[in-house]
Amino acid sequence: MSQDRFHSLYTHGFARVAVCVPKLKLADPRHNARETLSLLRAAHEQRAVVALFTELGLAGYTCDDLFHQRVLLDDCEAALAQLLRDSEDLPILGVVGLPLRVDDRLFNCAVVFQRGRLLGVVPKTYLPNYGEFYEARQFNAGFNAVSDEVTLAGQTVPFGSELIFQAEDQPLLKLHVEICEDGWVPIPPSTYAALAGATVLLNLSASNITIGKASYRHELVGLHSARCLAAYLYSAAGPGESSNDMAWDGHGLVYENGTLLAETERFAQDHQLIYADLDLERLLHERMRMTTFGQTAGRHRDALAGWRIVSYRAELPTEERLPLRRYVPRMPYVPANPAQRDERCREVFNIQVQALVQRLRAAGITKLVIGVSGGLDSTHALLVCARAVDLMGLPRSNILGYTMPGFATSSRTLDQALRLMAAIGCSSQQIDIRPSCLQMLKDLGHPAGNGEPVYDVTFENVQAGERTSHLFRLANLHGGIVIGTGDLSELALGWCTYGVGDHMSHYGVNASVPKTLMQYLVRWVAETGQVGEAGSQVLLDILNTEISPELVPGGAEGQQPAQSTESAVGPYELQDFNLFHLLRYGYDPSKIAFLAHHAWATGDDAKYTLAEICKHLQTFLRRFFPNQFKRTCVPNSPKVGSGGSLSPRGDWRAPSDASSAAWLAELERNVPQA
């Protein structure tokens, strides 16, 4: 694949759309058509493939009884014909509003066109006739139409509300159009459109502004896009509409599955144009994943039988380098906004604590056994344990904390483990596992049992297994349960010793918490003063310690641990990024690389090159698939977020003997530097 093609958003299932709020002249269709054409060209220059305009935009919504004047109606059709001629060179699909005479009735319509060719006409289904609205005075409801075709500007095209406009060169781009009130009724036409396959829902609106209405629009559009698992574009009338009895704020919105992507500046005095890059592949994945979406479509198959598909070519600019105009968070598990991040930490912490309390109460257990290494994961697990016993009215001495130094334990982490347990106020004991490890190594006939410096995987796993063995037998002795400390990132990468190592526990509180979020959880506890001044200081010290299994000797006493986990498995911030997009959305590796490049390799704070991104993504793929056997039998643990869990009883079920070859080949084939 060429560099330009890889760096085009259209290669990776995205589509750029535009919402236009023109500055109108009331009852002047020719001026409004020129304004429409200008905005349409501007949207095309930014390589958008869809441009949405406002309700009755060629005339102006507030013409009232002028809509029954033939001069205005003829001028609207003439202005549309001129707009079609003037846009013959534009591949962008436009959606504009105007009044149209069909079957001797007047309809409030949206016209869909491209390159001077009409694709279809959609009448407004529901007419408001309450409050300040009197549309039934001038217009007929769409369901009163007799014809299913209309001839306009010399072209005969489909007419009706049950139309889906589908791009032949991007089958995921399926558009449905509704008009203003249609989106406010209990069952909008776009609900059925989504069930019929539409992924992008368009609403031409007038929508005058009153107190609180803008917030309600957000709620309405956002929730509707989430419920329909679709994108929703909304364009409300702005400058130029009559202020006889109403005011207009020109509110344009783009939502995707409940997430706001773009919004106009309200009350602007000139026209506005906003863009958003929609992830069509994400929408498809959500619909496949949420099986009840398909069940709903099946339940209403009779209502969907009459829907018609109108095909066209979007002429996607896939050979141009087009970076995303979309925020892609570097750390998808961690909100960038500090207030949201604090709330996320509080929520995750409470989920973990509640789950542990339930497990202890259900089992009638009052003692918790935990290995404390002085590292990140066991630190957070200990914090969860402390809060759990507090809620149960138990003394913190019921937490039996053990630090078990081995051949590579640094004085730094040992000191941190002891200081942490003292700050928490749990029971604290130190067990040197080196004698029992040496005995096992001798029994195995391993050279290290005789003092030889052979530091292979057996040498490492003997220590991991010995620690876990001690913890389980201590739990037997004291009538407690072993609290697992391993996290989601380690499970994804297989960075845990299987069965008799840190892979196993009676209950794993951290198993669906990724490493990047774990760091913020610990920092949140420190910064909110939940463990006192001494406790906060040791938490900050732990956060500044190299992430390491500490199983291979080396390095100066008291310095950072000799081993670096991230030098073996790659940076956790990148691997968590890869995990999220593979697990949550099922993206191809090339799309993950494209997103990672956008997030991590652009801007003044760029951190990784595309080559580095691909290298670590290859590491992730090579480790993720063959380590499924470890995830197939993980201990019970609470799911904490929508980003996913790897428990076979939760989000992820997969064969342990699947090959990663296809994923690696896709990356190699479609990323220039892979």
Side-chain angles (χ1 to χ4, degrees):
M1 183 182 292
S2 68
Q3 286 277 357
D4 286 346
R5 187 171 178 82
F6 171 76
H7 288 289
S8 171
L9 63 97
Y10 288 102
T11 300
H12 303 283
F14 290 94
R16 180 165 295 164
V17 297
V19 170
C20 312
V21 179
K23 184 176 183 180
L24 302 179
K25 285 188 177 180
L26 200 59
D28 190 346
R30 297 176 190 275
H31 166 85
N32 296 336
R34 291 192 295 271
E35 173 82 349
T36 298
L37 180 65
S38 175
L39 291 174
L40 193 67
R41 288 196 178 279
H44 165 66
E45 288 171 4
Q46 297 302 318
R47 296 301 181 262
V49 291
V50 176
L52 173 69
F53 291 83
T54 55
E55 181 180 9
L56 294 169
L58 289 187
Y61 177 78
T62 48
C63 287
D64 291 330
D65 286 350
L66 295 181
F67 283 124
H68 282 178
Q69 294 288 311
R70 181 175 174 179
V71 169
L72 180 61
L73 298 177
D74 286 349
D75 260 17
C76 282
E77 292 189 22
L80 174 64
Q82 186 63 50
L83 176 61
L84 293 175
R85 289 191 293 271
D86 292 342
S87 63
E88 288 178 350
D89 61 324
L90 299 178
I92 186 172
L93 182 143
V95 186
V96 298
L98 75 164
L100 286 177
R101 293 160 288 191
V102 180
D103 298 332
D104 301 322
R105 300 175 180 87
L106 188 64
F107 293 92
N108 179 344
C109 294
V111 169
V112 181
F113 65 98
Q114 182 205 33
R115 281 201 180 277
R117 182 171 70 94
L118 290 176
L119 299 177
V121 178
V122 179
K124 187 171 184 176
T125 302
Y126 298 101
L127 303 179
N129 222 54
Y130 57 86
E132 61 266 45
F133 302 109
Y134 299 95
E135 285 188 37
R137 178 182 175 93
Q138 292 96 24
F139 296 103
N140 265 259
F143 48 74
N144 288 333
V146 175
S147 299
D148 59 7
E149 286 186 337
V150 63
T151 299
L152 187 62
Q155 304 179 46
T156 300
V157 295
F159 177 79
S161 61
E162 297 174 343
L163 302 177
I164 293 177
F165 303 88
Q166 180 171 4
E168 296 172 355
D169 45 347
Q170 173 46 286
L172 300 183
L173 184 58
K174 302 177 184 180
L175 310 166
H176 175 263
V177 179
E178 62 187 9
I179 302 175
C180 201
E181 187 77 7
D182 293 346
W184 297 65
V185 300
I187 307 178
S190 57
T191 300
Y192 291 108
L195 295 174
T199 53
V200 182
L201 313 176
L202 311 172
N203 189 312
L204 304 83
S205 183
S207 190
N208 65 309
I209 184 61
T210 55
I211 294 171
K213 195 171 185 180
S215 297
Y216 185 70
R217 287 192 200 114
H218 274 289
E219 294 173 0
L220 191 74
V221 173
L223 288 173
H224 190 57
S225 74
R227 185 176 294 110
C228 290
L229 300 176
Y232 200 98
L233 281 59
Y234 183 91
S235 182
E241 293 288 359
S242 173
S243 60
N244 268 11
D245 297 292
M246 292 179 282
W248 313 88
D249 62 345
H251 200 186
L253 297 167
V254 181
Y255 271 86
E256 177 189 289
N257 194 20
T259 300
L260 177 66
L261 298 185
E263 180 178 12
T264 60
E265 176 190 350
R266 295 170 56 228
F267 302 107
Q269 296 304 299
D270 203 350
H271 62 240
Q272 290 198 76
L273 184 56
I274 58 172
Y275 303 94
D277 293 345
L278 307 178
D279 191 344
L280 303 176
E281 186 179 347
R282 176 189 175 192
L283 297 174
L284 174 65
H285 180 272
E286 291 297 87
R287 291 181 177 186
M288 291 192 303
R289 187 179 72 94
M290 188 175 290
T291 54
T292 49
F293 183 88
Q295 292 171 20
T296 306
R299 177 70 177 80
H300 296 279
R301 63 170 59 88
D302 292 342
L304 305 179
W307 284 75
R308 292 176 283 171
I309 301 294
V310 179
S311 296
Y312 74 101
R313 286 193 61 79
E315 302 181 39
L316 304 177
T318 54
E319 299 301 330
E320 297 183 41
R321 183 180 288 250
L322 291 172
L324 276 177
R325 285 186 175 182
R326 178 185 175 107
Y327 172 64
V328 177
R330 287 184 167 184
M331 297 184 183
Y333 292 104
V334 183
N337 180 281
Q340 292 177 348
R341 187 166 60 236
D342 285 351
E343 180 57 32
R344 175 72 55 83
C345 289
R346 182 178 297 105
E347 186 82 353
V348 169
F349 190 68
N350 285 333
I351 290 171
Q352 293 176 278
V353 169
Q354 187 277 336
L356 179 57
V357 168
Q358 171 62 23
R359 175 52 53 97
L360 293 170
R361 285 176 173 162
I365 298 290
T366 60
K367 297 289 183 68
L368 297 80
V369 175
I370 182 170
V372 183
S373 67
L376 186 67
D377 292 347
S378 64
T379 293
H380 182 62
L382 181 57
L383 296 172
V384 171
C385 291
R387 180 60 178 155
V389 296
D390 289 350
L391 288 178
M392 295 177 70
L394 300 172
R396 290 192 176 182
S397 57
N398 277 30
I399 305 171
L400 309 181
Y402 296 90
T403 186
M404 294 174 279
F407 299 112
T409 302
S410 65
S411 60
R412 174 180 181 134
T413 54
L414 178 59
D415 173 68
Q416 288 171 175
L418 295 172
R419 288 164 56 208
L420 177 64
M421 289 188 285
I424 294 297
C426 66
S427 169
S428 174
Q429 187 173 341
Q430 183 173 328
I431 299 175
D432 187 346
I433 63 166
R434 287 173 292 185
S436 55
C437 287
L438 282 172
Q439 183 61 54
M440 180 174 285
L441 289 166
K442 288 178 182 178
D443 293 343
L444 294 174
H446 191 278
N450 296 317
E452 296 182 39
V454 178
Y455 305 138
D456 57 9
V457 67
T458 304
F459 179 83
E460 295 189 42
N461 284 346
V462 160
Q463 296 171 76
E466 194 64 27
R467 289 189 174 107
T468 303
S469 178
H470 273 74
L471 292 174
F472 272 98
R473 303 297 74 79
L474 287 164
N476 295 154
L477 179 64
H478 297 289
I481 63 170
V482 176
I483 303 302
T485 63
D487 63 48
L488 181 69
S489 307
E490 293 175 342
L491 282 171
L493 294 162
W495 195 251
C496 49
T497 302
Y498 181 69
V500 295
D502 55 332
H503 165 267
M504 190 49 60
S505 65
H506 288 118
Y507 195 72
V509 293
N510 290 340
S512 67
V513 181
K515 191 76 75 176
T516 47
L517 180 57
M518 190 81 69
Q519 293 168 326
Y520 281 94
L521 284 165
V522 172
R523 188 175 300 279
W524 170 74
V525 172
E527 292 178 349
T528 51
Q530 299 181 46
V531 288
E533 184 176 350
S536 293
Q537 184 56 57
V538 70
L539 294 182
L540 295 176
D541 290 343
I542 289 167
L543 286 167
N544 290 322
T545 302
E546 179 78 35
I547 298 173
S548 171
E550 290 198 302
L551 296 171
V552 175
E557 190 76 8
Q559 301 300 312
Q560 293 278 4
Q563 280 179 289
S564 168
T565 297
E566 291 180 297
S567 67
V569 301
Y572 274 117
E573 58 190 11
L574 269 187
Q575 302 301 34
D576 281 358
F577 184 96
N578 296 333
L579 172 63
F580 178 86
H581 291 287
L582 182 82
L583 182 64
R584 183 64 181 82
Y585 298 123
Y587 289 154
D588 292 341
S590 61
K591 182 167 183 173
I592 296 174
F594 173 76
L595 292 170
H597 180 267
H598 178 71
W600 289 99
T602 59
D604 295 336
D605 60 344
K607 190 169 182 179
Y608 299 104
T609 65
L610 180 58
E612 290 171 325
I613 288 167
C614 289
K615 170 190 170 185
H616 295 306
L617 180 52
Q618 286 171 332
T619 298
F620 176 85
L621 294 171
R622 290 190 178 110
R623 296 192 65 94
F624 181 79
F625 286 88
N627 281 292
Q628 176 61 31
F629 73 98
K630 296 182 181 180
R631 300 186 287 268
T632 299
C633 57
V634 293
N636 291 172
S637 58
K639 177 182 174 180
V640 302
S642 62
S645 160
L646 287 172
S647 167
R649 299 167 299 275
D651 279 359
W652 186 252
R653 296 161 184 82
S656 296
D657 44 10
S659 170
S660 61
W663 284 261
L664 290 164
E666 194 279 338
L667 181 67
E668 180 78 23
R669 183 171 61 250
N670 292 321
V671 183
Q673 298 187 43

